[in-house]
Amino acid sequence: MSERVYGIKTSIRLDYTFAAGRAQSRFYSAIAEGRIVGQRCPECAKVYVPPRGSCPTCGVATDEEVRVSGRGTVTSFCIVNIPFAGQAVRVPYVSASILLDGADIAFLHLVLGCEASEVRMGMRVRAAWKPREQWWTSLENIDHFEPTGEPDAPFESYAHHL
């Protein structure tokens, strides 16, 4: 009789190709030019960054492209203290939801340029772009976000986006 196997440890590799649709293709093309764009819903007027091609609330197509700021507000965050294999950033570091000025939904990015313990909800941040010669069609063109030094945004200014 053979022994039961409850698990194994092995290396795994997953190759995949991401096929961006029209909305995301325009977004990544803009990022490659140093611009951040979203799309506005024609019914509720919310601006989605990155754009999805349709409004998740109203279910209608979003075609109007809107340029948004590289500045925004931290709406929530997590301090990462546990290292893992292949990690590009030294712990501790902050992964945060950032609501860009002009957008209606936050997206996830790193906050660096200060101690992790200094990051807080309402903190104003700005995009820190990599050198232009390193740009391509990737959100990685924005290396991280860093504090602007502006006063914190009041909770009421971003609470309805949470």
Side-chain angles (χ1 to χ4, degrees):
M1 181 176 253
S2 63
E3 231 178 278
R4 286 188 178 180
V5 176
Y6 293 98
I8 62 170
K9 287 187 179 183
T10 184
S11 298
I12 188 167
R13 178 179 166 168
L14 177 65
D15 292 323
Y16 65 93
T17 301
F18 171 75
R22 270 194 319 237
Q24 290 180 333
S25 292
R26 292 194 329 223
F27 172 75
Y28 288 119
S29 293
I31 288 289
E33 297 169 359
R35 298 179 297 118
I36 305 171
V37 298
Q39 287 183 339
R40 184 184 318 277
C41 174
E43 289 189 14
C44 67
K46 289 183 179 176
V47 175
Y48 295 96
V49 178
R52 292 152 174 79
S54 63
C55 176
T57 303
C58 303
V60 298
T62 53
D63 292 320
E64 180 189 351
E65 191 170 281
V66 178
R67 186 171 183 173
V68 298
S69 174
R71 290 177 179 259
T73 303
V74 172
T75 61
S76 65
F77 66 95
C78 172
I79 298 175
V80 179
N81 288 299
I82 301 171
F84 56 87
Q87 195 167 26
V89 182
R90 292 180 54 156
V91 294
Y93 66 89
V94 174
S95 180
S97 291
I98 299 169
L99 179 65
L100 295 175
D101 297 348
D104 288 293
I105 191 166
F107 74 106
L108 199 61
H109 215 299
L110 296 173
V111 175
L112 304 173
C114 65
E115 294 295 323
S117 62
E118 295 174 3
V119 177
R120 59 203 173 273
M121 290 175 65
M123 177 182 254
R124 298 284 297 154
V125 293
R126 70 174 152 252
W129 294 78
K130 288 182 177 178
R132 191 173 204 91
E133 60 273 6
Q134 295 178 19
W135 288 4
W136 61 303
T137 52
S138 170
L139 193 53
E140 291 178 1
N141 292 356
I142 301 173
D143 187 63
H144 61 275
F145 281 77
E146 60 193 12
T148 63
E150 298 172 55
D152 288 358
F155 180 73
E156 298 75 26
S157 70
Y158 62 87
H160 60 285
H161 298 285
L162 298 176

